[in-house]
Structures are given as structure tokens and as C-alpha cells.
Amino acid sequence: MKFTRSSGILMHPTSFAGTPGIGTLGKAAYEFVDWLESAHQTLWQILPIGPTGYGDSPYASFSTFAGNPLMIDLDDLAAKGWADKNDIVPADYIKCEGPVEYGSVVWWKMPVLFKCADFFLKNCNKKDRDAYEAFKNDNAAWLDNYANFTSIKQFYDSEAEKKGISGIAQMWNAFWPKDLAKCDAAAVSKWNAEHIENIEQIKVIQFFFATQWFAVKEYANKKGIKLIGDIPIFVAPDSADVWANQNFFQLDQNGIPLKVAGVPPDYFSATGQLWGNPLYDWDAMKKDNYSWWVKRTKRMTELVDIVRIDHFRGFEAYWAIPYGDPTAVNGKWIPGPCIALFDAIKNALGELPIIAEDLGVITDGVRKLRDDAGFPGMKVLQFAFDPNEAGSQGMVNAFLPHMYPQTSVVYTGTHDNDTMQGWLDSATDAAVRIAAEYAFGRKVEESEARKLSDNGELCRALIRTAIASTADMAVIPMQDVLGLGAEARMNIPNTTGSNWAWRIAPNSLKKEDAEFLAFTSDLYGRNIKK
């Protein structure tokens, strides 16, 4: 699909300021949309929005279809009459500023949301009840499985913790009764009948999320702003997706993965990356005409306007690691579904606005699949300034803007990169000099380049360089617009503990930054309203 020349900002809702514990879909979301409009930006990119699990990663969700309850704005619920104001008062340990402390937020907010759901069910008016019933009916294909899974998980997680069992040992395929672990229809139906109230509350919480999400999306769309969402290629092992669709994954009879996902050793990691996601049984999916992927893609196109598919190269071939291996070293490349999957999606849903995340070690086969599917790929400016590729023949790095095909999307960096200022601070003097010469279009000595980096001029110039490029779309992380350093990094791949926690400081949506983006985007012909 052809994309218009445009630009926008990468900013996940959890990073909004001012609300207890974590960013939400409340007032701050609307203020951000207003700021985007003032900055003449027409794209807003987010990370996956599913309910997060272990490690708090949006790329390891309990459901690829559901919304993250932690993003629900409690003040909005109270304003609608869907919650008691006395129930939503934050605990003393919950902060409105600073990084997200996920453990504290989950401990406080999830019980509050169940109270709100109970209040809604007992007090909502007919109009709101009808809207909720319509939501359940329209989303039953995924909502029933998600609610059942969540209800069972809550109970058996609690039972496991009482026995001192945690982590992978308390998952559905390790600790649940066998009939429930196998998603046996009779057993699940019996559970459902015995836990009606709990399951209904789980569904109400998803209704809260959907109501707020689509209100924000409608507000953005009316202002000419499109949302770019994100589909991780793989799903979490501890998810409703795997539990309810075991026949579509490479699992043994007990639900244990036979092999798991990751990437092989490379320049960045001598042992590769062991992600641990169960792998798809593509033969089984093909026999079902890839219906699960069709449903997943359809759901994403309802939630957002443009879809970015993470780790696109895994559709051409995926790295399969024996389950239980401590590293990714012993994996093997196995052919993926290739164009057959995307043909099935296109036949079912028509031409879709999809971006392929084609970073990493990309082969000719991956490039052909991307081009055959008609998807633009990604370019990351931080990868462009390697001194080893700036020889006498000129600069030929494929991540340099003068090398971009028009059908691509340029980023100064992604959620997996350091911020641009953080990268400049840690880069070699030679790399910073090359970046400065490229951005300013003149000879620059290393000492001057470092000064331009230290005072923030180079970071700002590199944003301008990305927006000026030939790529159809340019997306800038909000941290780069603010000139923030490594302290504002969103994620360090293959690590846990402090990722996904960054929140913007209050009052950081500055008029001068909006004016810079508006001028630059207008100057280089982006976001022109026709």
C-alpha cells in the first residue's frame, strides 16, 4: 500500500505524565494529541497495548487481542459514573511522577479496577449496559477465552504463591489441573459457571479499556492523526492466545514447547537472544487458512490505523531453539510461511497499511518477501554512522537517508535503541563526527562535533535529517524531541528489571518543540493536508 509523505512521534501511553503510577488514556492522552496537531504531526506510533506480564514487556502480553488494564484512566471512569470516587484514591506509595513502578501499580490498581467493574455492573444505566452487552457480543471471539484464562490464572497463581511456587513453574502448562490446562471445553464451561461474577468483571475491565481507547483514537483521527500500532510476531507462552489455540503451536501433549523463539548469535551477542516464545505450527495454521492470524490482524486494524509487524524476518525463516537450552546458540533456521500468510490475510481483509520491521540480519529472501507483500521497511538513523563504512568511495551505509527507498519508514531510533542523545553521548568521536558532517553538510572536526553533541544541536539536526529524508514516513521518539539521554531509554533488549518504565516529566510538551517540528515537517513537505 502506498503511504503519503508524513511524520509523527513514537510515544507509548504508559509514558504519559500526571496520573497515579502510570500513564493512562485520560486527560494527558488528549493533551498529547493536541500537541501533535500543533506540531503538524499526523502519525502517533505506540507499542503493543495488550495486558503486560512477566518483565512488564508489551511484547509479552497475556493476550494479543485484549487491552492493558493499567492504561485505564480512573478519573474518567468516575466522571462517567462508572466508579465510586472513594474507590479510586491512590495508595500513598503510588507516585504521579517518575518511572513506572510496575509491581506497585499492579498491586494497587488491579484490585481498584475490579471494584470499579463491580460498581459498574451494579449501578450502570440502561444505555451503558446496552453498550457493554454490545461490546461483549462484538468481541466474543477473543473476549471469552481471555476472560476464562485470566480468571483461572488469577486463582492458580494465588494457589502457587501460597506454596512458594513462582515463575514458569506456576504457568498454565505446569500448575493448572490437566483438563483446564488442555482448555477442555467441559472443564472450562464448568469453571465459567462457577466463577460468573469474576469473569464478568474481567470483561467489564476490557470494556473500560475499549471505551477509552476508541474515544482517544476518534479524537486523534478527527484531528488528522493516524495511530500506528505494533504486532509482535510471537506471543507470550503464558497467554490466552497459546492456551486457547494449542493446536496452532509447536507444543507437546502437556502444552510444553518443543522449540522456542529467539535470534542467533551476532555482533551484539555471542550467545544470541533467547526469547522463549512458543513457535507456531505453520502447517496446522495453513490447513486452517491462517484464520488465527487473520483474526489477529483484523483486531489490530480496528484498534489502529497502520500496523507495524515486529520481527518481520521470522515469516521468511525463524530461529528455532530447543526448549530448555540456556542460550540461543543451538538454534536452526526453519522456513516460515512466507507470502502465503500475507496472501491469506489480504484475501480475507483486503489491502492493509502494514509496516515491516526488517531490522537485523536481513537476507535477500526477507527483502523479497517484504517487497512481494508490498510493505515498507524500516530505517534507523543511529545505524548510519559507522566509521568503517565511510571510506574513500563515499558513504554507502543503507541506513543513511540518501540511500533510502521511498517506500520506507525512518526513525532516529526505536524503543530498542538508546535515545539519540544517549547514543551520541556513548558513541566514538569518529562516529559523532560523521553524524555531524552528514547533518550539517560541512567538514567538522571531532572536537567541534562533540561540542555540537553535548549542547544538543546535533540531536536536533539529526531529527531534521530524518524528516528531510526521502522515506515516505518519519517517526521520532518523544525522548529525542526532548533531547533526553540514556536515562530515558525505553528498553535494553535481552534484559529485565528497569525496562518500559520511562514517563515524560510534567509540562514537557513545549510550544517551542512543536514549532520546530511544524516548521521542519512543513519545510520538507510532510503532513500536507489536501
Side-chain angles (χ1 to χ4, degrees):
M1 174 176 283
K2 175 66 176 174
F3 289 93
T4 58
R5 187 167 173 80
S6 53
S7 63
I9 300 296
L10 170 58
M11 176 78 164
H12 198 49
T14 58
S15 296
F16 290 141
T19 44
I22 192 169
T24 68
L25 301 171
K27 181 181 177 183
Y30 293 89
E31 291 176 345
F32 179 67
V33 171
D34 290 341
W35 183 86
L36 286 176
E37 182 186 35
S38 72
H40 296 190
Q41 301 305 293
T42 58
L43 301 173
W44 171 15
Q45 182 164 334
I46 57 173
L47 305 180
I49 58 174
T52 51
Y54 174 74
D56 312 309
S57 171
Y59 292 88
S61 171
F62 292 131
S63 169
T64 191
F65 294 85
N68 187 348
L70 301 181
M71 293 185 196
I72 294 170
D73 189 81
L74 299 177
D75 288 335
D76 178 72
L77 297 184
K80 286 183 168 70
W82 294 358
D84 186 328
K85 290 183 179 180
N86 295 319
D87 289 338
I88 66 171
V89 177
D92 292 340
Y93 55 84
I94 297 296
K95 304 173 184 177
C96 289
E97 297 182 19
V100 179
E101 297 177 359
Y102 281 95
S104 297
V105 172
V106 170
W107 181 262
W108 161 69
K109 192 166 185 176
M110 288 309 300
V112 170
L113 286 168
F114 275 92
K115 283 186 179 180
C116 295
D118 183 61
F119 182 91
F120 174 88
L121 288 167
K122 292 176 179 176
N123 297 282
C124 66
N125 59 37
K126 184 179 185 304
K127 179 181 177 182
D128 293 338
R129 170 65 77 165
D130 288 347
Y132 169 58
E133 294 297 333
F135 166 78
K136 286 199 297 181
N137 183 64
D138 293 343
N139 295 277
W142 64 266
L143 183 61
D144 290 346
N145 285 333
Y146 169 75
N148 290 329
F149 172 84
T150 304
S151 176
I152 301 169
K153 177 176 173 57
Q154 287 175 345
F155 179 84
Y156 284 105
D157 278 2
S158 177
E159 290 297 301
E161 288 164 5
K162 290 176 184 176
K163 298 180 180 180
I165 299 170
S166 62
I168 195 169
Q170 68 174 208
M171 278 178 46
W172 61 269
N173 55 11
F175 190 73
W176 293 12
K178 284 189 176 181
D179 54 354
L180 288 175
K182 289 180 177 294
C183 198
D184 176 76
V188 173
S189 180
K190 184 174 183 292
W191 181 276
N192 199 309
E194 294 172 351
H195 298 82
I196 293 174
E197 183 178 352
N198 177 241
I199 289 170
E200 200 71 14
Q201 290 169 350
I202 292 167
K203 292 180 179 181
V204 169
I205 291 171
Q206 284 302 304
F207 172 68
F208 289 163
F209 176 90
T211 301
Q212 292 184 357
W213 178 263
F214 286 110
V216 171
K217 181 179 184 295
E218 181 181 17
Y219 187 78
N221 288 167
K222 285 183 177 179
K223 290 178 175 288
I225 297 165
K226 294 181 178 180
L227 271 64
I228 303 177
D230 199 321
I231 286 186
I233 180 175
F234 298 117
V235 294
D238 194 16
S239 68
D241 308 305
V242 179
W243 171 72
N245 300 280
Q246 296 176 44
N247 56 311
F248 290 148
F249 293 86
Q250 296 182 34
L251 309 174
D252 67 15
Q253 61 182 2
N254 295 314
I256 305 298
L258 300 173
K259 295 182 179 180
V260 296
V263 289
D266 58 16
Y267 173 81
F268 298 101
S269 174
T271 59
Q273 293 183 32
L274 178 62
W275 297 338
N277 308 80
L279 296 168
Y280 299 109
D281 184 337
W282 287 116
D283 289 336
M285 285 195 159
K286 182 179 180 180
K287 291 177 182 177
D288 194 51
N289 206 26
Y290 304 102
S291 65
W292 183 86
W293 263 97
V294 170
K295 293 173 185 175
R296 187 184 190 195
T297 307
K298 182 177 183 295
R299 172 65 173 163
M300 278 303 300
T301 60
E302 294 167 353
L303 292 166
V304 298
D305 303 295
I306 301 169
V307 178
R308 189 196 87 119
I309 300 181
D310 191 58
H311 194 60
F312 182 79
R313 73 103 53 246
F315 295 107
E316 193 268 341
Y318 56 90
W319 189 247
I321 305 159
Y323 179 76
D325 273 21
T327 73
V329 170
N330 294 322
K332 292 182 179 180
W333 286 113
I334 307 295
C338 293
I339 197 64
L341 169 64
F342 298 104
D343 283 344
I345 292 173
K346 183 178 178 180
N347 289 338
L349 304 177
E351 197 82 36
L352 297 176
I354 291 175
I355 299 167
E357 186 271 285
D358 57 346
L359 304 175
V361 180
I362 302 303
T363 65
D364 289 341
V366 178
R367 296 187 189 93
K368 182 178 186 303
L369 174 59
R370 178 198 64 201
D371 294 342
D372 288 348
F375 302 153
M378 288 174 53
K379 301 295 180 183
V380 178
L381 202 55
Q382 284 185 27
F383 298 160
F385 306 112
D386 185 346
N388 296 321
E389 297 187 38
S392 59
Q393 300 302 312
M395 300 179 72
V396 295
N397 188 313
F399 288 96
L400 283 161
H402 68 269
M403 301 294 290
Y404 297 167
Q406 186 176 343
T407 53
S408 59
V409 187
V410 59
Y411 299 78
T412 47
T414 73
H415 62 275
D416 283 335
N417 294 101
D418 202 343
T419 65
M420 180 56 84
Q421 187 60 52
W423 177 81
L424 289 169
D425 291 343
S426 62
T428 65
D429 288 343
V432 174
R433 174 184 58 78
I434 293 169
E437 289 184 341
Y438 195 91
F440 292 107
R442 61 179 176 83
K443 186 74 174 176
V444 179
E445 297 298 326
E446 287 186 356
S447 59
E448 182 191 4
R450 186 56 71 180
K451 289 180 181 178
L452 291 167
S453 170
D454 291 345
N455 67 21
E457 288 185 63
L458 182 51
C459 181
R460 184 56 58 103
L462 290 169
I463 292 174
R464 184 181 66 246
T465 299
I467 293 174
S469 75
T470 58
D472 281 334
M473 291 185 282
V475 178
I476 314 298
M478 192 67 206
Q479 295 97 314
D480 291 350
V481 175
L482 300 176
L484 300 177
E487 74 282 355
R489 183 169 182 168
M490 198 65 169
N491 180 50
I492 301 176
N494 222 26
T495 69
T496 59
S498 61
N499 295 323
W500 318 110
W502 177 72
R503 292 184 79 183
I504 191 172
N507 304 312
S508 293
L509 299 178
K510 301 293 187 181
K511 180 180 178 182
E512 51 266 36
D513 290 329
E515 289 174 342
F516 162 73
L517 289 170
F519 174 81
T520 307
S521 297
D522 292 350
L523 180 65
Y524 294 111
R526 296 192 183 272
N527 308 325
I528 302 299
K529 293 183 179 180
K530 297 181 180 179

